[in-house]
């Protein structure tokens, strides 16, 4: 989101973002010259952590089950009419492209779809949804309390919309795809809203 510039600001104030950008660019160039690796955008963020959810077979799944693997985490719901399927499609196109170019590194990825609509998204439903995008995608659901806990740990907002008929409603939710490291550390937001090529490029940048 672009910052709002108020008419009452003096020109010097308007120059500060430009000066900050120039300084950041200079520091980035210095790091590149020295061979230093750039710091991940989400480094140090209080995002993620352990969770307890349920997979398509009804088995309990915990974050620790993916230790040593990079996790691609997307929150959505299977009854979503447009945004969620498109985002997941882009994510998995990126995962597949990256895995094709880098098979060994691609094997380290654990992409997962976590529903924020557990009332309708049963284990079977999330499993069938995930299968549409590739066998690698792990569909996860849980009790309302389990889903609320993992969403909170990722700072994900969601809210049930008004029912237009019994069981017919939309879910309002934040739109983000997280790349988490082998130790569960937050690394970056993947550009799922763009396309698979953009997602693959971001994976190329951070998965090693």
């Amino acid at each position: 989101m672009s910052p709002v510039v108020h008419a009452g600001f003096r020109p010097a104030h308007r120059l500060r973002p430009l000066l900050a950008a120039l300084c950041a660019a200079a520091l980035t160039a210095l790091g590149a010259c020295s061979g230093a690796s750039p710091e991940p955008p989400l480094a140090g963020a209080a995002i993620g952590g352990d969770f307890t959810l349920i997979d398509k077979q009804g088995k309990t799944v915990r974050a620790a089950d993916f230790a040593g693997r990079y996790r691609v985490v997307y929150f959505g719901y299977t009854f979503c009419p447009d945004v969620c399927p498109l985002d997941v499609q882009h994510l998995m196109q990126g995962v597949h492209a990256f895995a094709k170019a880098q098979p060994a590194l691609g094997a380290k990825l654990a992409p997962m779809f976590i529903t924020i609509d557990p009332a309708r998204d049963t284990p079977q439903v999330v499993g069938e949804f995930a299968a549409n995008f590739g066998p690698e995608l792990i569909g996860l659901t849980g009790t309302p309390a389990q889903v609320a806990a993992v969403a909170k740990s990722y700072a994900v907002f969601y809210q049930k919309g008004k029912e237009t008929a019994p069981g017919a409603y939309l879910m309002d939710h934040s739109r983000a795809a997280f790349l988490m490291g082998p130790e569960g550390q937050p690394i970056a937001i993947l550009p799922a809203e763009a396309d698979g090529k953009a997602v693959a490029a971001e994976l190329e940048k951070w998965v090693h």
Side-chain angles (χ1 to χ4, degrees), residues 35 123 204:
E204 180 75 28

Side-chain angles (χ1 to χ4, degrees), residues 12-56:
H13 290 174
R14 295 180 182 178
L15 287 174
R16 287 176 184 170
L18 177 59
L19 292 173
L22 290 173
C23 289
L27 289 173
T28 299
L30 181 62
C33 292
S34 65
S37 299
E39 188 173 47
L42 295 183
I47 296 174
D50 196 15
F51 61 73
T52 301
L53 293 169
I54 301 168
D55 68 9
K56 65 180 181 180

Side-chain angles (χ1 to χ4, degrees), residues 10-181:
R10 291 177 294 174
H13 290 174
R14 295 180 182 178
L15 287 174
R16 287 176 184 170
L18 177 59
L19 292 173
L22 290 173
C23 289
L27 289 173
T28 299
L30 181 62
C33 292
S34 65
S37 299
E39 188 173 47
L42 295 183
I47 296 174
D50 196 15
F51 61 73
T52 301
L53 293 169
I54 301 168
D55 68 9
K56 65 180 181 180
Q57 297 175 328
K59 295 181 180 179
T60 297
V61 174
R62 299 180 64 92
D65 297 336
F66 305 100
R69 301 178 68 186
Y70 289 82
R71 306 130 208 212
V72 175
V73 184
Y74 183 84
F75 290 83
Y77 67 112
T78 69
F79 288 80
C80 180
D82 42 34
V83 173
C84 298
L86 185 60
D87 283 354
V88 176
Q89 181 182 26
H90 290 162
L91 277 177
M92 294 310 295
Q93 285 174 343
V95 167
H96 292 152
F98 176 75
K100 184 177 181 179
Q102 305 271 6
L105 293 178
K108 293 184 177 182
L109 293 177
M112 57 190 75
F113 171 87
I114 301 177
T115 183
I116 43 83
D117 184 20
R120 294 182 296 185
D121 285 344
T122 63
Q124 179 181 352
V125 171
V126 292
E128 292 174 350
F129 177 85
N132 291 322
F133 302 95
E136 309 90 343
L137 183 59
I138 303 163
L140 296 173
T141 186
T143 65
Q146 288 172 333
V147 169
V150 67
K152 182 178 180 180
S153 71
Y154 278 83
V156 168
F157 163 83
Y158 68 95
Q159 180 175 284
K160 179 181 176 181
K162 183 178 180 181
E163 287 198 14
T164 56
Y169 54 87
L170 298 177
M171 296 290 293
D172 296 324
H173 65 97
S174 50
R175 184 182 185 184
F178 302 91
L179 175 62
M180 312 296 286

Side-chain angles (χ1 to χ4, degrees), residues 1-5:
M1 182 181 297
S2 300
V4 176
V5 178

